[in-house]
Amino acid sequence: MRKLGRGSFCGMGGDSGSPMYASHVAHGLQVAGYSECDSLYQGIRAAESVLNVNVLHAAP
């Protein structure tokens, strides 16, 4: 995995693959963490490409 995002959201074991979103906007999928509230995620565009899916894009 390359170009991962890093966030201060809290996660725990088993959360890998969880959606990362804020204010109804998809940011990616959780992939790992350094500690409980220091996590890494794969960006949504890269996840779309790898999974061969399209995330619905709608006007706010």
Side-chain angles (χ1 to χ4, degrees):
M1 289 178 259
R2 300 186 316 216
K3 299 184 180 180
L4 298 177
R6 189 171 182 178
S8 59
F9 54 89
C10 298
M12 55 191 325
D15 283 351
S16 292
S18 298
M20 301 293 102
Y21 60 92
S23 300
H24 305 288
V25 175
H27 292 277
L29 301 173
Q30 183 174 356
V31 295
Y34 291 110
S35 63
E36 185 177 332
C37 293
D38 186 8
S39 301
L40 298 173
Y41 65 93
Q42 180 66 62
I44 194 63
R45 299 290 182 225
E48 282 180 314
S49 178
V50 170
L51 296 171
N52 195 30
V53 298
N54 294 307
V55 173
L56 177 63
H57 301 275

